Structure formats: structure tokens, C-alpha cells
Amino acid sequence: MAKEVRVNERLQQAIRESRMTYDRLALELGIVAGRHGDDARPGKSLISHWVRYSVVPSGDMPSYLAAVLSRRLGRTVTPADLGLAEEVSDLRDWSLDTLSVLADLRRIDVDDVEVDRSTALQLMAYSVGALALPTESWWESMARTGEARGRAGGRRVGEADVEAVRDMTGLFSQVDQRRGGGHARTAVVQYFTSDVARFLKGTFASEGTRRQMFSAAAELAYVAGWMAFDSADHAAAQTYFGQAVRLAAEADDPAMAGHVLRAMAHQALDLGHPKQALDLAAASISGDRYALACPRERALLGVIHARGLAATGRHTAATGALLQAQRDLAAAAPGDDEPARVFFFGEASLAHETASALRDIGDLPGAVKEFRHSVETRKATSFARTHAVTLGYLGAVHVRLKNIEEACAVWSDALDAMEPVRSGRTRQTATHMRTVLSPFRQRGIRSIDRVDSRAAAYLEATA
């Protein structure tokens, strides 16, 4: 009864602000009430009455009410504002339970029921404040929580289930590399929030199996986050990255946690938050996150740390970190017990990130050299998205060096590479091309006009 009273109070306030009568609102909603006695007076439940006599499906009623009042008020009114939708917590809150967050992610990103999506998305807006990492005691607490889950009950989960999750994660990762985050992201989220969620609630054959499953789930959550990041859905990416960190913490897998923190740092760099990026990158190489990583992964963590140092003006330290990343990658050897998640990182990737750091330091000739090395050593068919982004960055550096013709030649190759790719970062590259070339339009320069028109066509095709 108390909740019903609060709902009526909120509705009445919204109606007063819009200067509508109850009858007028009923007409706007297509309700065939209005002549059914006095049931709609303020002392009764307006919701019960309207839903009872409405020609609008009852499940849609909160959205219809909110839409009508939004039109009348000239501002957004959500079902949650009227007390008609369940409030959703900020899913980046480190104090939330891992599996509860997973259930909320399904409701928001898959089911889209019983939750006001607009409210959820507002709560999920990319937050710089949410980049602050939890205390050391949190990591210890999460490891203990994970151990307790293995005794919780549910379907029996074994090593074959872990391998199945890892196989699916590898498949999704390869699609992401070839086609960009715009392909198969819905399938990743569906699999993560359904099949994998059920595994996480199961009874495990051993504590080792539980840890492996939570680690495998962390990697899948990371892939979901990376695909969202690549699709420029940064709020969702941040949320999935946070969930990946939780899962890695419950798995007591420091190297996996470091891998995700590195991705969060990469995202923060791209979004223009260098200080926070450096903090995240420093955390990714702290203690066992670096010590327990294989040499290839150490190089990946280290080069992003170098980029964070470069972006914050610590040029000497950035140079030292770049050299260490090169040494770490050189130490990687066939037969190393490497996790599958580092399959993409090799000489070409190291050169790409090194070039990005040199660009931020101001060493543009050095950046050109490293970007070219990345292009020349990458297997473009398997890593089409990154290949296109590298070419885009190389062209942008040529522009800064006043080499417009050279930039257009490189960008033409970039447009060739991005044709089968659906990625927010390739779209950003195409947008940057058009912005840079806009002063040269209408001058009859064939190479410029061709790149400009092709970039416009790509943006239209991928909108």
C-alpha cells in the first residue's frame, strides 16, 4: 500500500506539472475508461484502474505513461521516475555481488524486461569516477567469496564445461579481430548471460575447476567488453570490463585481472583520460598480475603502461617501459604455456602500441616508422580491424607532418582494409579523414576527393 501511495503521488505531481487532467491522460493513452464511475479519483489506485480498462497491453503501460508525460512536460520522464520500474544499481559498484550483476546485465542487455532501459543506460554512462580501483582487502574478500560459491549447489560443472567456454571465447575473439566489435556482440552477451551464468551457479568437481570456470568467464566478459569498446559503446564496455575483473578476482587469477585492467587503461586513453589510464595500467603490472603473466602478456601490459606514461608527459619513463616491453616479447618462445587470450599480441601489435606512445611523446618520425613496421608484419586477413586502425593512425601522423598526399595513399589502403569491418574505431578513422580533408574539398584534387567520398560511403554503409 505504501508503494502504491508513492506511485500515485508521483503521477499526480507529473500530471499537475503537465496541466493535464486524469481524463485527458486517459484519452492520450487510448484508455476506454473515463465513464466507469469514480474509480479514477485520486484516493484510489490510478494504475490499477488504468491498467484494468486500458487497450494498451499492461506490460507496456509504464512506458506509455512515461512517454505521454514526457511529451507534455518537454523533458524525459521514465517509468522509474513514476515509481513504475525497478531501480537499477550502478553495475560498476565494486561492492555488488558478481552473480547479481550478471543477472542485471542479462535483464538490461538481453531480456530488456522489468527494467526501464533508459534509466539503466543513464546509470551505465561511462564514468571516470568508476575507474577508481577497490582496495587490496577487496581482492582477498573476492577470492574467499569464490571459494564459498563452489559449495553452493546447482548443476555439476566439470573440466569439459570449462573447455567449452574457452572454445567459444576463442571463436568470438577471432571474429572480433577479423570483423570488428559490431559483429556477433549480441551472441557473446547472450552466451555469457545464459549458458555461462548457469555454469557459475553450479557445483564444481573441484576448487581448481571452479577457479578455471570463473577465469574462463572473466575472459568472455572481457571479450564482451572489448567488442562494446570497439563499437564505441563505452558505458557497456566499462561495465563488462568491471564484471571481468570481479570474475577474475573470484577465480584468484591475477594475470587475468591484469589483462582486463590493461584493457580498461586502453579505453581510458582513447577517451582522453590519461591520468586514470596510467593508474589502471600501473595496477595491471602490479605484483602477481605481472609476475604470473607469461612473457607475451607482460609485453602487452608493459606497452600499455608505456602509453600511459607517454600520455601524461613522463617521456623518459615511457621510453624505458617500451624497451622493457620489447625485452618481454623477445623472451616469449614456442612452447610457452600461454593463455589463449594473448593470441593477437605479437610483433605487429607491439609496433602499433609503440608507435602510439611515440606519437604522444611527439616523436612523429619514430611513430611513422613503427606504424609502418606494424603494417608490414601483421597478418592482415586475420587481424583486419587492427590493420585498418593502424593504417588510419599512420595516415593521421602523415597529416601532422604535412604529408597530405602520403596520408591519402595510406588512408586509401585503410579504407580497403576496413570494408568488411564493423567497428566504432574504424568509423572514427573514417570520420577523422573527412574532417582533415574538408578544407581541400572542391579543389579538384583527385586523390583527396576519392578518399573523402570513400570515407563518406563507409560511414553511410555502417551507420
Side-chain angles (χ1 to χ4, degrees), residues 90 140 145 147 174 221 236 288 311 323 360 417-418 440 462:
D90 187 328
E140 298 168 359
T145 298
E147 288 185 28
Q174 290 170 18
D288 284 347
L323 292 172
D360 294 344
M418 70 177 67
F440 301 95
T462 57

Side-chain angles (χ1 to χ4, degrees), residues 142-176:
M142 292 295 282
R144 291 194 298 271
T145 298
E147 288 185 28
R149 289 198 198 279
R151 303 185 292 272
R155 64 175 291 181
R156 188 165 181 80
V157 180
E159 291 185 9
D161 298 311
V162 175
E163 289 305 312
V165 174
R166 294 202 184 282
D167 286 348
M168 291 298 293
T169 301
L171 176 63
F172 288 132
S173 295
Q174 290 170 18
V175 170
D176 172 60

Side-chain angles (χ1 to χ4, degrees), residues 409-459:
V410 171
W411 278 344
S412 181
D413 291 340
L415 288 162
D416 289 340
M418 70 177 67
E419 188 172 338
V421 176
R422 294 296 177 268
S423 160
R425 284 185 289 168
T426 54
R427 282 184 55 82
Q428 185 179 23
T429 295
T431 299
H432 181 67
M433 293 178 194
R434 301 209 70 211
T435 300
V436 169
L437 298 178
S438 60
F440 301 95
R441 290 176 192 149
Q442 313 301 325
R443 296 191 184 183
I445 304 174
R446 183 174 299 179
S447 59
I448 290 176
D449 290 345
R450 178 170 172 75
V451 168
D452 185 59
S453 62
R454 288 187 64 196
Y458 176 78
L459 291 169

Side-chain angles (χ1 to χ4, degrees), residues 265-312:
H266 193 148
Q267 182 186 25
L269 282 169
D270 276 20
L271 295 180
H273 306 296
K275 180 184 181 301
Q276 291 78 9
L278 179 57
D279 290 343
L280 288 163
S284 77
I285 61 169
S286 175
D288 284 347
R289 294 172 199 142
Y290 180 85
L292 298 181
C294 67
R296 189 177 305 278
E297 190 155 46
R298 289 181 184 179
L300 171 58
L301 303 181
V303 77
I304 298 302
H305 183 229
R307 286 194 57 192
L309 292 166
T312 52

Side-chain angles (χ1 to χ4, degrees), residues 32 86 90 124 129 140 167 175 177 179 186 196 216 236-237 247 261 269 271-272 275 331 351 363 396 406 413:
V32 293
E86 185 177 340
D90 187 328
M124 288 174 61
E140 298 168 359
D167 286 348
V175 170
Q177 289 289 342
R179 301 293 184 180
T186 301
V196 176
L247 288 161
L261 293 172
L269 282 169
L271 295 180
K275 180 184 181 301
D363 181 2
E406 185 68 23
D413 291 340

Side-chain angles (χ1 to χ4, degrees), residues 21-323:
T21 64
Y22 299 136
D23 287 344
R24 178 60 184 166
L25 180 57
L27 287 172
E28 291 259 3
L29 292 168
I31 295 173
V32 293
R35 295 293 181 269
H36 291 273
D38 297 327
D39 289 349
R41 65 181 183 272
K44 293 281 188 178
S45 169
L46 294 172
I47 294 299
S48 297
H49 177 80
W50 287 343
V51 170
R52 179 181 176 188
Y53 294 109
S54 176
V55 296
V56 175
S58 62
D60 294 337
M61 179 60 68
S63 296
Y64 276 88
L65 286 169
V68 170
L69 291 169
S70 295
R71 285 201 307 272
R72 297 290 300 192
L73 291 171
R75 62 178 173 83
T76 300
V77 177
T78 70
D81 293 334
L82 302 176
L84 301 176
E86 185 177 340
E87 298 286 346
V88 180
S89 300
D90 187 328
L91 302 183
R92 280 90 40 109
D93 185 342
W94 296 113
S95 68
L96 297 178
D97 176 73
T98 305
L99 299 190
S100 296
V101 171
L102 183 52
D104 281 340
L105 281 171
R106 179 176 178 82
R107 291 161 59 212
I108 293 169
D109 225 6
V110 180
D111 295 338
D112 199 18
V113 297
E114 296 183 1
V115 174
D116 173 32
R117 186 172 176 82
S118 62
T119 301
L121 292 178
Q122 288 171 11
L123 288 166
M124 288 174 61
Y126 186 86
S127 167
V128 176
L131 296 178
L133 290 171
T135 63
E136 200 60 39
S137 62
W138 178 87
W139 297 89
E140 298 168 359
S141 174
M142 292 295 282
R144 291 194 298 271
T145 298
E147 288 185 28
R149 289 198 198 279
R151 303 185 292 272
R155 64 175 291 181
R156 188 165 181 80
V157 180
E159 291 185 9
D161 298 311
V162 175
E163 289 305 312
V165 174
R166 294 202 184 282
D167 286 348
M168 291 298 293
T169 301
L171 176 63
F172 288 132
S173 295
Q174 290 170 18
V175 170
D176 172 60
Q177 289 289 342
R178 289 199 306 270
R179 301 293 184 180
H183 286 281
R185 183 179 154 210
T186 301
V188 174
V189 171
Q190 179 79 42
Y191 179 64
F192 175 57
T193 58
S194 56
D195 297 56
V196 176
R198 285 192 290 273
F199 286 141
L200 296 174
K201 296 175 184 176
T203 298
F204 297 90
S206 67
E207 171 59 13
T209 301
R210 184 202 66 78
R211 289 178 58 187
Q212 290 176 41
M213 178 57 78
F214 272 71
S215 182
E219 186 176 348
L220 183 62
Y222 153 75
V223 171
W226 190 264
M227 293 175 85
F229 166 42
D230 189 57
S231 298
D233 192 349
H234 293 294
Q238 187 180 32
T239 304
Y240 279 100
F241 286 151
Q243 183 68 347
V245 171
R246 286 191 190 87
L247 288 161
E250 289 206 28
D252 197 15
D253 187 346
M256 182 69 235
H259 190 84
V260 183
L261 293 172
R262 177 273 317 172
M264 295 172 70
H266 193 148
Q267 182 186 25
L269 282 169
D270 276 20
L271 295 180
H273 306 296
K275 180 184 181 301
Q276 291 78 9
L278 179 57
D279 290 343
L280 288 163
S284 77
I285 61 169
S286 175
D288 284 347
R289 294 172 199 142
Y290 180 85
L292 298 181
C294 67
R296 189 177 305 278
E297 190 155 46
R298 289 181 184 179
L300 171 58
L301 303 181
V303 77
I304 298 302
H305 183 229
R307 286 194 57 192
L309 292 166
T312 52
R314 299 174 62 181
H315 298 171
T316 301
T319 301
L322 289 174
L323 292 172

